Amino acid sequence: MTSADNTSTAQRRPAKDPWDLPDVSELVVGVLGGTGDQGRGLVYRLARSGQKMIIGSRAAERARAAAEELGEGVEGADNAECARRSDVVIVAVPWEGHAKTLEGLRDDLAGKLVVDCVNPLGFDKKGAYAIVPEEGSAAQQAAALLPESRVTAAFHHLSAVLLQDPEVQRIETDVMVLGESRDDCETVQALAGRIPGMRGVYAGRLRNAHQVESLVANLISANRRYKAHAGLRITDV
Ligand SMILES: NC(=O)c1ccc[n+]([C@@H]2O[C@H](COP(=O)([O-])OP(=O)(O)OC[C@H]3O[C@@H](n4cnc5c(N)ncnc54)[C@H](OP(=O)(O)O)[C@@H]3O)[C@@H](O)[C@H]2O)c1
């Protein structure tokens, strides 16, 4: 056997352009906790880009009312129905409710691409600080609780204020996307890229999610000092 025969299929595959991302325009995207600031902002922006969106809530009525406010392309449902009817499910509940919410939706989320955007943070008189979850990060906790789902992490550094402001046409920022599967990460990157000004950038495996989640404490500090809605750019990619 020659060394050429030994080359794995992966090695022989021609290098793919990392910016050649899939068409995600037909995917239904649900948001658990979609009645909150971050969820509502993501739903608004993605629906504005033509994505079919479902707002999830612990109370279907609240979700339907929020969906009505956001208009065309947006529906509301309780979190379980939202999970079942969506191809991609963004988790946008507070850290305090993260584990309990996901545990309760394990079956509804089986087989789904889950995108966790939860930042485990505490606040005291010195400002925001990062909490270190037992599993390492919120995203790793999600992966542990949802063994039959494909868990990724993204959308941590967005300003819900900018997302929700209809006067803001473009949001100039990068979205760090983490996960175990390249295809899943590319789907999430493509989704981020549907929002004008935004780029989804691959940023590693879930074991590196903690520093991405906790960086939000630094952005909050910058926002307070500069009265801003800070975002991030990854340069040279
Ligand atoms: N706000 C931002 O700028 C921002 C940016 C990036 C990431 N994030 C992350 O996104 C998540 C949501 O942030 P947010 O500011 O939108 O929070 P939020 O408004 O406090 O909560 C979002 C929604 O979650 C549901 N919820 C509240 N408590 C819950 C609990 N104990 N269990 C299950 N669901 C609960 C509520 O919806 P229902 O009552 O309708 O169920 C609420 O509308 C957080 O984990 C945050 O770290 C926020």
Side-chain angles (χ1 to χ4, degrees):
M1 190 187 270
T2 66
S3 60
D5 294 328
N6 264 332
T7 312
S8 72
T9 313
Q11 283 169 316
R12 279 200 304 269
R13 205 183 293 149
K16 181 180 168 258
D17 176 355
W19 295 112
D20 180 12
L21 298 172
D23 175 6
V24 293
S25 57
E26 296 302 316
L27 296 180
V28 177
V29 179
V31 183
L32 307 178
T35 55
D37 282 339
Q38 166 78 343
R40 198 185 278 256
L42 284 169
V43 169
Y44 171 65
R45 281 294 149 185
L46 287 167
R48 189 166 145 161
S49 307
Q51 204 76 37
K52 186 161 176 359
M53 302 296 298
I54 304 179
I55 290 184
S57 165
R58 289 169 296 180
E61 263 323 298
R62 262 201 303 279
R64 282 197 272 272
E68 212 156 290
E69 277 173 35
L70 290 180
E72 213 179 318
V74 184
E75 286 181 63
D78 63 41
N79 281 332
E81 187 186 335
C82 165
R84 282 195 301 275
R85 289 179 50 204
S86 303
D87 302 301
V88 177
V89 183
I90 300 174
V91 186
V93 299
W95 165 241
E96 295 70 30
H98 185 254
K100 191 164 166 235
T101 302
L102 297 183
E103 262 165 12
L105 297 172
R106 186 175 287 149
D107 292 343
D108 307 292
L109 288 168
K112 307 291 180 177
L113 200 175
V114 172
V115 189
D116 206 295
C117 74
V118 171
N119 303 309
L121 295 179
F123 292 87
D124 62 16
K125 60 179 189 306
K126 292 185 186 173
Y129 61 94
I131 291 170
V132 188
E134 207 178 299
E135 297 83 356
S137 61
Q140 286 166 294
Q141 182 182 79
L145 292 170
L146 305 172
E148 290 177 53
S149 306
R150 292 133 56 209
V151 175
T152 60
F155 300 122
H156 307 87
H157 304 138
L158 304 181
S159 155
V161 174
L162 295 184
L163 287 173
Q164 292 184 86
D165 185 345
E167 300 299 317
V168 173
Q169 304 300 325
R170 294 176 61 83
I171 302 182
E172 298 292 343
T173 194
D174 285 343
V175 169
M176 296 172 88
V177 180
L178 298 94
E180 302 303 316
S181 145
R182 182 176 291 190
D183 286 349
D184 289 342
C185 287
E186 289 186 348
T187 298
V188 181
Q189 287 173 256
L191 210 50
R194 298 209 72 200
I195 300 174
M198 231 178 254
R199 244 181 8 157
V201 178
Y202 174 70
R205 304 269 184 164
L206 292 185
R207 67 180 181 177
N208 282 316
H210 170 67
Q211 52 271 32
V212 172
E213 294 170 3
S214 56
L215 191 58
V216 174
N218 305 81
L219 292 180
I220 290 172
S221 303
N223 285 342
R224 288 185 176 175
R225 173 70 64 93
Y226 301 106
K227 310 230 174 315
H229 303 294
L232 283 180
R233 277 290 188 212
I234 311 294
T235 59
D236 205 33
V237 295

